[in-house]
């Protein structure tokens, strides 16, 4: 039996989007400043908002049609009393609720039309839609033009301050440059043909510190993992050529963990054989950024790293349990308010005592020396003051999101647990931990679920994707 994780985590403080520091006349060259991720603020009230997916939830009796719950931020945290559901019946969203369509299986936030309100792109079965932000939050929707794709990822790849979308399909990867019109059309597009191992994952951030976001893609073919690749952004947009990282990395984030002005890749490092990943103990790989791209400086962190709670434990291949899968989910943000990006790590396969796969999360803190295990924290449903009970197969930490919902300058952590059982199986739930000057705290912790929000509960898998 794998050893349990001892109890004991990160979000981006509000920052000016896409900030670049310029050198003044007669001064030394100014240090670079990586482009900042804009705050997700659908109603532009200054508080970060959350979009929590329940892609298996019923809509008007249609099983598996899917919906997204919008939970607005406030001075007291997540304002669950005024949460709003969006689904295929929302005005302007193309089509209608269909059985097992999975509306909201993936979502991406960005100010796509440039009006100052964050918008939300949503996968809707066989099409993609965008819900437009306003003073009243997300309201009217539109269909995104272009063919349906597997995944969308937002960023500013030409550094013009307008949100863009990367649309990834089996055949090609297309950049749709903003601003978008209200009928879902981008200002322009650019595409690159995908190879047989076309991108499986999209990771966005400013690696080179030039004010334009770069893209890292994860690749695999059949049962084999391939090297991830870096595609640089610039004033001319995203490059059509890439550079391999020479690491097998997936599901990552790009954030400046050592505050040197360059974005660093923090990603789940996996073995070359991808079909056995569910049984892995898990690890994350940090590849540090530089003006020319990724540097040669890297680090590997797992649960055997000094300061990281727990132990790295794999599971028997083809056995009944999953491995710890440290790094299965990741999110970046400044939890402590010290200017360094911190990283929260999902460990959904963690065992607690004799209970298998109940899950946990770990907070790794950034600092002048980069990302280390120093001061790391861990939390699970057995941690004092955390609501709920650790149960087999909960997979606590399957999704994580750092964002400053109470606007105190410190990131708060939302943990999604889609396999949490409410009055029905796999209804799902979410937990919100607050950030403090010393890390995450259970003081003032809240949890919410379809039952508490008044949305359909049966098999909804609420929390499988969180955007914020």
């Amino acid at each position: 039996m794998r050893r349990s994780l001892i109890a004991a985590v990160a979000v981006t403080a509000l920052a000016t989007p896409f900030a670049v520091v310029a050198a003044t006349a007669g001064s030394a060259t100014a240090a670079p400043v990586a482009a900042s991720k804009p705050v997700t603020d659908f109603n532009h009230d200054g508080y970060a908002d959350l979009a929590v997916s329940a892609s298996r939830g019923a809509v008007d009796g249609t099983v598996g049609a899917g919906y997204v719950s919008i939970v607005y931020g406030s001075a007291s945290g997540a304002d669950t009393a005024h949460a709003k559901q969006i689904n295929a019946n929302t005005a302007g969203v193309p089509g209608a609720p269909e059985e097992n369509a999975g509306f909201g299986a993936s979502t991406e936030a960005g100010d796509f039309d440039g009006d100052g309100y964050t918008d939300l792109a949503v996968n809707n079965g066989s099409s993609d839609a965008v819900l437009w932000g306003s003073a009243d939050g997300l309201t009217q929707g539109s269909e995104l033009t272009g063919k349906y794709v597997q995944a969308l990822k937002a960023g500013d790849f030409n550094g013009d301050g307008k949100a863009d979308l990367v649309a990834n399909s089996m055949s090609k990867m297309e950049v749709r440059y903003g601003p978008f019109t209200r009928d879902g059309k981008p200002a322009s597009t650019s595409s690159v043909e995908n190879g047989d191992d076309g991108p499986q994952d999209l990771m966005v951030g400013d690696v080179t510190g030039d004010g334009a976001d770069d893209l890292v893609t994860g690749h695999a073919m059949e049962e084999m993992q391939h090297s991830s690749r870096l595609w640089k952004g610039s004033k001319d947009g995203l490059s059509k050529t890439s550079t391999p990282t020479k690491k097998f990395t997936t599901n990552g984030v790009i954030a400046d963990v050592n505050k040197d002005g360059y974005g660093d890749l923090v990603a789940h490092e996996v073995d070359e054989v991808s079909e056995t990943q569910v049984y892995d103990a898990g690890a994350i790989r940090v590849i540090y950024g530089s003006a020319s791209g990724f540097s040669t400086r890297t680090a590997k962190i797992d649960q055997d790293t000094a300061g990281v709670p727990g132990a790295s434990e794999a599971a028997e291949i083809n056995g009944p349990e999953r491995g710890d899968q440290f790094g299965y989910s990741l999110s970046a943000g400044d939890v402590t308010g010290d200017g360094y990006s911190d990283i929260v790590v999902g460990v959904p396969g963690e065992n607690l005592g004799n209970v298998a796969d109940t899950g946990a999360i770990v907070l790794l803190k950034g600092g002048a020396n980069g990302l280390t295990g120093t001061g790391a924290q861990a939390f699970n449903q057995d941690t004092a003051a955390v609501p709920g009970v650790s149960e087999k197969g909960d997979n606590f930490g399957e999704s994580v999101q750092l964002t400053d919902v109470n606007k105190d300058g410190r990131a708060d952590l939302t943990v999604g647990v889609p396999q949490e059982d409410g009055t029905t199986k796999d209804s799902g739930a979410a937990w919100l931990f607050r950030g403090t000057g010393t890390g995450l705290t259970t003081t003032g912790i809240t949890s919410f679920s379809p039952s508490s929000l008044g949305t359909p509960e049966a098999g909804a898998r609420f929390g499988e994707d969180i955007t914020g």
Side-chain angles (χ1 to χ4, degrees):
M1 177 59 63
R2 294 179 286 129
R3 195 179 71 185
S4 66
L5 182 73
I6 47 183
V9 221
V11 3
T12 305
L14 297 180
T16 301
F18 316 122
V20 180
V21 173
T24 58
S27 68
T29 301
V33 178
S36 300
K37 178 184 175 182
V39 175
T40 296
D41 187 359
F42 301 124
N43 56 4
H44 199 52
D45 64 354
Y47 296 95
D49 305 319
L50 298 167
V52 185
S53 296
S55 72
R56 309 309 300 166
V59 176
D60 294 338
T62 304
V63 177
Y67 62 85
V68 178
S69 289
I70 307 303
V71 181
Y72 295 98
S74 72
S76 58
D79 183 10
T80 56
H82 297 94
K84 179 178 181 179
Q85 183 193 126
I86 60 174
N87 56 54
N89 274 338
T90 300
V93 173
E98 296 181 8
E99 187 172 347
N100 298 324
F103 180 94
S106 63
T107 57
E108 271 296 300
D111 181 8
F112 300 121
D113 60 354
D115 66 352
Y117 296 94
T118 306
D119 312 305
L120 187 71
V122 182
N123 172 261
N124 183 27
S126 60
S127 63
D128 298 302
V130 59
L131 280 297
W132 304 106
S134 72
D136 296 320
L138 293 179
T139 53
Q140 185 81 15
S142 301
E143 183 174 8
L144 280 172
T145 59
K147 293 182 178 179
Y148 165 75
V149 294
Q150 288 180 304
L152 295 167
K153 198 73 174 180
D156 180 13
F157 302 105
N158 56 7
D160 66 353
K162 308 293 193 302
D164 312 315
L165 278 171
V166 173
N168 179 41
S169 69
M170 291 297 292
S171 60
K172 69 179 180 180
M173 190 167 60
E174 181 180 75
V175 185
R176 301 172 182 175
Y177 291 99
F180 289 70
T181 61
R182 281 297 181 100
D183 55 2
K185 294 180 180 178
S188 63
T189 63
S190 176
S191 64
V192 59
E193 297 299 317
N194 290 337
D196 292 337
D197 66 344
Q200 313 295 311
D201 307 290
L202 305 175
M203 300 157 256
V204 171
D206 185 4
V207 174
T208 61
D210 64 355
D213 281 327
D214 308 301
L215 176 71
V216 176
T217 52
H219 296 261
M221 184 178 180
E222 296 179 348
E223 77 280 4
M224 303 303 293
Q225 197 74 36
H226 294 179
S227 169
S228 52
R229 303 170 193 166
L230 170 66
W231 311 73
K232 294 181 184 178
S234 72
K235 63 180 179 60
D236 298 317
L238 197 67
S239 172
K240 292 190 177 185
T241 60
S242 64
T243 304
T245 67
K246 300 181 181 179
K247 301 293 182 183
F248 303 136
T249 51
T250 66
N251 297 333
V253 293
I254 298 173
D256 189 1
V257 298
N258 59 353
K259 205 166 63 173
D260 65 353
Y262 302 109
D264 311 307
L265 176 68
V266 183
H268 187 201
E269 183 165 88
V270 296
D271 293 331
E272 189 173 2
V273 180
S274 47
E275 63 184 358
T276 60
Q277 289 173 13
V278 69
Y279 306 106
D280 290 348
I284 62 172
R285 171 66 60 178
V286 186
I287 307 178
Y288 289 90
S290 74
S292 59
F294 287 126
S295 70
T296 57
R297 181 189 176 194
T298 75
K300 182 178 179 179
I301 300 176
D302 58 23
Q303 286 182 282
D304 290 337
T305 299
V308 178
S312 290
E313 294 146 333
E316 179 183 354
I317 294 178
N318 297 323
E321 301 177 12
R322 64 197 288 178
D324 284 346
Q325 290 191 282
F326 181 87
Y328 179 88
S329 58
L330 293 163
S331 188
D334 184 4
V335 173
T336 60
D338 62 358
Y340 295 94
S341 289
D342 307 307
I343 303 293
V344 63
V345 183
V347 196
E350 185 69 31
N351 285 3
L352 296 175
N354 294 323
V355 185
D357 299 338
T358 98
I361 60 93
V362 171
L363 172 66
L364 302 175
K365 297 176 181 177
N369 295 322
L371 197 67
T372 68
T374 301
Q377 297 175 277
F379 296 88
N380 56 65
Q381 286 192 77
D382 280 353
T383 303
V386 175
V389 178
S390 292
E391 298 171 316
K392 181 178 180 180
D394 277 351
N395 302 135
F396 187 88
E398 190 156 311
S399 66
V400 292
Q401 181 64 59
L402 291 170
T403 192
D404 187 5
V405 298
N406 61 356
K407 202 171 63 171
D408 66 352
R410 300 184 178 97
D412 311 302
L413 171 65
T414 306
V415 180
V417 189
Q419 296 186 100
E420 176 77 9
D421 295 338
T423 58
T424 64
K425 182 176 174 57
D426 294 344
S427 54
W431 281 254
L432 181 63
F433 296 77
R434 296 194 176 190
T436 73
T438 57
L440 293 173
T441 181
T442 58
T443 301
I445 190 172
T446 57
S447 64
F448 49 97
S449 66
S451 176
S452 65
L453 299 183
T455 56
E457 183 178 15
R461 292 185 57 84
F462 180 88
E464 67 181 346
D465 184 65
I466 306 171
T467 295

